[in-house]
């Protein structure tokens, strides 16, 4: 697995959360900054919500809490910071209480600090990110986010505004220390104060924060569980508000935070596991295509007491829930804390909207110049994202759908409902540019528990024949999803794992393979499958650059960095599969400095077949010494082999450093650079509420590409005909700024661009077949001298040895 985001490792599957994000929460979703006269509004960390009624009379929650949020595009480190509290009317002996903080707030994410518990309440907070003992007043007080852990000394608004350590400050109730014209009003045992929807930051607590039901959210997006299953007796007559009134014509409900009585609808789907609840849809739609007629009713930990076809009336609070908030994901308008009356059963369901090339617009999303599109009026006939949002919670269907991402271990797959999206030669949807996101991609999950009905197993290029239908949802890792009541039958199109062409004896073969966090504790079957891929599908290359080789005890974080046991086990597996007796070279990283799974110390490793190619050992290479170039012309050489390229450069912070080795094949030198650039973690998704999405991780990869480009230039300055192969997991696309930096000036060329467009992929993510792995070569290896192949053996299959496909280049004499 590429340690990246947009490919972050997923730990599911309970879809944890609970009460949603009501009016006060939409507020708490992204927050606001500093005391009115303290400083300019914060561009990153702010106090989003404060609640002091925990455990008091009438309270549901057991604890007080303070919630932080990060509006910025990079993680906000909290080491050495604190949150502090003082009473609403501090006297001469009053002192600020302090809760020290550690960790960080993810970009777009939240951070929950549990404070003192009372003796009442019935609901625990979601797992807090920090814990303190501050006993906040339910009605009046001041909370500050402070750089440092020494208690503040200020006791007036002016003095606190003048203290440069104060990053943000919230005064509530009748607090004399506050921002702007007054404190945030209305706090009580049952009400917190939180940033308002729209996230206004005027440095005025009275204007920026409002009272509402407490909605604590932790860094995982989990909230407190207060659902009752929707089975309580509710009204027997419909009210005046309909689902389309609640959904409105934008992404955020105009009714957020309101409790509405007697909302009518027909139950169209029931989820009895994970995030429990049910969908209902109004069979009498309005005339506005922008307003959805469906909605999810969240029942918390209680199994819904309704079934599909029930006609119901629901009284509940309108909430906005962000399943993938930190990744910029869309919100889901929901009803929480429901009281439900079943009027009748066995009713016909509203007709499903068919998703296909006729209904899905070619344009993907409106452009907000990187800002949020949440306030934009939906244009479902113009933009695909707007179409999906306008159908949120409604019944949709796809017919004879092409599978574009295989069934995974979480029992989900992706299909493409739009036949206009460009296809790979093997049936996937190929991602060809930031302006071509492939609008028809949609995930399929099942509402039927796997224990009752196995989820279909399909590979890319298979089809779900017949109809797949259910309510349209949005999942916690990003992506609109059919929560399917029924799934089409898999038509197996017999996708085969590729085998690369047999090389000539005179050709040197060099491959790259990301082996997905390989360590000795992995099952023997994984080693055997990976080995079979090298021996059979890659035909035992002369050199294999491996990425994600972990140390000898894998994710155990005890200071171990040596990987000899991992590599030895892999070489033995290759020999058992009929492959050569490979030798290997690598450099151990400094413990904990190269990113990846904590404790794993992933690194790149060269395997080479000494019967075919020789490795030139040059002493001096280690984890912190930079390799250099010496000599000129045919005498050009590395100063260390293996060596690491500029390992102390800030561009490689918490990321793998390129490993370079000098080889000789039939009397000719080959310089090979094994890469694993920093992950895409923290990037906003294609379907982000921010358009165009921000690719924050790209900045570091461009810096890394620049460092490597300078090294390649130095090699070529010494020998313009140097044969250089740079390969590996670059964690970026062929059209990205990072790859443009690497190839600038023609020092290297990216071989994937020489393939037909339908073959340009090595990884599948959210239904898009895309390029993350590359082989680049210098001009000394002319087009007629190289034969390049991406060997598709993993990314398209439900059964994978790795989530990456390997690649190989055959270098002709």
């Amino acid at each position: 697995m590429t340690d990246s985001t947009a490919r972050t490792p997923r730990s599911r599957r309970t879809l944890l959360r609970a009460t949603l994000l009501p009016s006060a929460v939409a507020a708490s979703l992204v927050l606001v900054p500093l005391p009115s006269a303290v400083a300019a509004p914060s561009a990153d960390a702010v106090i989003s919500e404060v609640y002091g009624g925990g455990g008091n009379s009438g309270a549901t929650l057991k604890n007080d809490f303070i919630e932080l949020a990060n509006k910025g595009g990079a993680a906000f480190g909290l080491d050495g910071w604190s949150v502090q509290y003082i009473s609403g009317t501090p006297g001469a002996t009053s002192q600020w209480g302090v809760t020290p903080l550690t960790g960080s707030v993810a970009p777009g994410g939240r951070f929950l600090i549990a404070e003192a518990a009372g003796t009442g309440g019935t609901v625990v907070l979601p797992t807090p990110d920090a814990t303190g003992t501050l006993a906040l007043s339910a009605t009046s007080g001041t909370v500050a986010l402070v750089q440092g852990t020494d208690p503040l000394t200020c006791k007036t608004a002016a003095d606190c505004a003048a203290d440069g350590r104060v990053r943000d400050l919230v005064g509530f109730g009748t607090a004399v220390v506050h921002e702007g014209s007054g404190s945030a009003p209305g706090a009580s045992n049952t009400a917190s104060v939180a940033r308002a929807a729209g996230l206004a930051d005027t440095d005025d607590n009275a204007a920026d924060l409002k009272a509402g039901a407490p909605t604590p959210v932790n860094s995982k997006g989990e909230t407190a569980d207060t659902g009752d299953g929707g089975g309580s007796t509710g009204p027997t007559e419909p009210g005046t508000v309909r689902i389309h009134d609640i959904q409105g014509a934008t992404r955020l409900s105009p009714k957020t935070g309101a409790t509405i009585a007697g909302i009518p609808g027909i139950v169209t789907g029931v989820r009895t596991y994970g995030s429990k609840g049910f969908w209902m849809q109004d069979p009498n739609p309005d005339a506005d295509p922008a307003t959805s007629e469906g909605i999810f009713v969240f029942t918390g930990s209680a199994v819904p007491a309704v079934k599909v076809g029930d006609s119901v009336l629901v009284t509940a609070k309108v909430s906005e829930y962000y399943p993938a908030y930190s990744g910029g994901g869309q919100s889901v308008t929901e009803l929480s804390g429901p009281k439900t009356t079943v009027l009748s059963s066995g009713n016909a369901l509203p007709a499903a909207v068919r998703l296909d090339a006729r209904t899905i617009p070619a344009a993907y999303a409106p452009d907000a110049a990187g800002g949020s599109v949440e306030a934009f009026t939906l244009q479902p006939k113009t933009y695909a994202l707007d179409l999906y949002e306008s159908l949120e919670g409604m019944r949709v269907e796809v017919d004879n759908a092409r599978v574009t991402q295989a069934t995974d271990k979480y029992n989900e797959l992706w299909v493409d409902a739009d036949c206009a999206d460009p296809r790979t030669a093997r049936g996937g949807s190929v991602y060809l540019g930031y302006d071509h996101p492939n609008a028809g991609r949609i995930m399929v999950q099942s509402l039927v528990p796997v224990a009752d009905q196995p989820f279909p197993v399909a590979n890319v290029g298979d089809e779900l024949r017949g109809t797949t239908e259910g309510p349209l949802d949005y999942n916690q890792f990003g992506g609109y999803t059919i929560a399917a009541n029924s799934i089409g039958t898999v038509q197996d199109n017999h996708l085969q794992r590729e085998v690369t062409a047999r090389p000539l004896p005179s050709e040197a073969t060099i491959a790259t393979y990301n082996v997905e966090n390989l360590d000795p504790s992995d099952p023997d079957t994984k080693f055997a499958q990976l080995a079979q891929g090298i021996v059979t599908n890659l035909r035992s290359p002369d050199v294999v650059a491996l990425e994600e080789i972990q140390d000898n005890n894998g994710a155990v974080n005890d200071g171990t960095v040596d990987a000899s046991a991992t590599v030895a086990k892999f070489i033995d597996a290759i020999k058992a599969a009929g492959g050569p007796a490979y030798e290997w070279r690598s450099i151990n990283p400094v413990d904990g400095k190269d990113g990846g799974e904590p404790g794993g110390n992933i690194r790149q490793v060269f395997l080479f077949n000494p019967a075919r190619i020789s490795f030139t050992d040059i002493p001096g290479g280690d984890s912190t010494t930079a390799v250099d170039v010496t000599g000129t012309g045919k005498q050009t050489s590395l100063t260390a082999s293996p060596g690491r390229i500029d390992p102390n450069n800030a561009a490689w912070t918490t990321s793998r450093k390129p490993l370079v080795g000098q080889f000789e094949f039939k009397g000719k030198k080959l310089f090979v650079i094994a890469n694993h650039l920093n992950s895409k973690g923290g990037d906003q998704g294609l379907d982000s509420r921010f358009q165009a999405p921000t690719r924050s991780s790209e900045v570091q990869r461009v810096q890394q590409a620049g460092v490597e480009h300078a090294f390649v230039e130095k090699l070529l300055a010494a020998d313009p005909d140097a044969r250089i192969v740079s390969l590996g997991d670059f964690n970026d696309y062929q059209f990205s700024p990072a790859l443009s930096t690497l190839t600038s000036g023609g020092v290297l060329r990216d071989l994937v661009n020489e393939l037909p467009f339908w073959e340009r992929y090595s990884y599948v993510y959210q239904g898009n077949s895309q390029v993350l792995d590359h082989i680049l070569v210098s001009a000394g290896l002319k087009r007629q001298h190289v034969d390049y192949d991406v060997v598709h053996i993993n990314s398209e299959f439900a059964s994978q040895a790795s989530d990456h496909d390997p690649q190989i280049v055959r270098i002709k004499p």
Side-chain angles (χ1 to χ4, degrees), residues 193-559:
V193 293
R195 300 285 172 180
L199 309 174
D201 177 16
T202 64
D203 281 345
D204 187 338
N205 290 162
D208 295 345
L209 294 101
K210 303 298 181 186
T215 55
V217 183
N218 66 13
S219 60
K220 295 180 180 179
E222 299 167 350
T223 60
D225 186 350
T226 58
D228 71 351
S232 304
T233 302
T236 57
E237 296 294 331
T240 59
V241 177
R242 298 295 181 263
I243 293 172
H244 49 249
D245 300 321
I246 295 169
Q247 288 282 10
T250 69
R251 284 171 165 78
L252 300 178
S253 170
K255 307 290 187 183
T256 301
T259 297
I260 299 174
I263 307 162
I266 304 294
V267 176
T268 59
V270 178
R271 186 157 57 206
T272 59
Y273 64 93
S275 181
K276 299 180 180 66
F278 62 91
W279 287 266
M280 67 178 190
Q281 184 169 333
D282 194 328
N284 300 304
D286 66 5
D288 188 349
T291 57
S292 172
E293 303 295 338
I295 198 164
F296 184 68
V297 182
F298 177 61
T299 60
S301 60
V303 174
V306 297
K307 58 184 181 296
V308 172
D310 284 353
S311 174
V312 297
L313 296 176
V314 174
T315 296
K317 188 171 187 175
V318 180
S319 308
E320 290 291 343
Y321 171 60
Y322 288 79
Y325 183 80
S326 62
Q330 304 286 337
S331 68
V332 178
T333 304
E334 299 183 333
L335 300 177
S336 59
K339 296 185 183 301
T340 304
T341 300
V342 177
L343 302 178
S344 61
S345 298
N347 296 279
L349 303 185
V353 175
R354 180 173 295 180
L355 299 175
D356 56 22
R358 293 169 297 179
T359 56
I360 301 173
Y364 192 63
D367 186 359
S372 174
V373 298
E374 289 185 316
F376 289 17
T377 299
L378 298 174
Q379 301 180 64
K381 294 183 178 180
T382 304
Y383 301 110
L385 274 188
D386 286 12
L387 171 70
Y388 295 140
E389 178 64 24
S390 74
L391 298 174
E392 177 190 280
M394 292 178 61
R395 290 188 73 223
V396 298
E397 67 179 27
V398 292
D399 292 340
N400 301 330
R402 175 171 52 97
V403 176
T404 61
Q405 183 163 336
T407 303
D408 63 22
K409 62 184 178 182
Y410 307 110
N411 297 306
E412 57 196 22
L413 56 78
W414 287 73
V415 298
D416 196 314
D418 186 350
C419 59
D421 287 340
R423 297 192 184 193
T424 70
R426 292 157 63 86
S429 293
V430 62
Y431 183 41
L432 297 175
Y434 295 128
D435 57 344
H436 292 85
N438 296 325
R441 297 170 299 109
I442 194 163
M443 182 186 278
V444 175
Q445 296 175 333
S446 178
L447 288 180
V448 181
V450 175
D452 297 331
Q453 178 179 307
F455 191 81
V457 177
N459 296 324
V460 169
D462 292 347
E463 290 184 67
L464 296 184
R465 300 295 297 178
T467 298
T468 298
E469 65 79 25
L472 188 64
D473 196 15
Y474 186 86
N475 77 73
Q476 71 183 94
F477 291 96
Y480 283 96
T481 303
I482 300 176
N485 287 307
S486 61
I487 300 177
T489 302
V490 174
Q491 176 179 295
D492 184 353
N493 286 332
H494 305 290
L495 188 71
Q496 299 298 308
R497 301 182 199 272
E498 292 185 337
V499 176
T500 197
R502 190 181 302 278
L504 297 173
S506 59
E507 294 176 328
T509 53
I510 304 176
T512 175
Y513 200 173
N514 182 318
V515 292
E516 194 176 5
N517 289 325
L518 188 66
D519 74 75
S521 68
D522 286 327
D524 291 346
T525 52
K526 178 175 180 178
F527 279 88
Q529 287 176 315
L530 290 168
Q532 195 67 51
I534 285 177
V535 175
T536 300
N537 303 89
L538 293 176
R539 298 187 184 272
S540 300
D542 299 327
V543 178
V544 185
L546 301 173
E547 299 87 51
E548 294 198 18
I549 291 288
Q550 292 198 341
D551 62 35
N552 290 338
N553 59 15
V556 177
N557 197 359
D558 63 356

Side-chain angles (χ1 to χ4, degrees), residues 87-103:
S87 62
T89 53
T93 60
S94 299
Q95 294 183 336
W96 287 83
V98 178
T99 299
L101 303 176
T102 59

Side-chain angles (χ1 to χ4, degrees), residues 366-374 376 684 688-694:
D367 186 359
S372 174
V373 298
E374 289 185 316
F376 289 17
Q684 293 170 352
S688 171
R689 63 186 181 274
F690 302 102
Q691 292 292 333
T694 297

Side-chain angles (χ1 to χ4, degrees), residues 174-193:
T174 58
V176 299
V177 180
H178 55 73
E179 294 181 354
S181 65
S183 55
S188 69
N189 289 347
T190 58
S192 67
V193 293

Side-chain angles (χ1 to χ4, degrees), residues 620-632:
D622 60 36
S623 58
T624 58
T625 301
V627 66
D628 206 346
V629 178
T630 185
T632 59

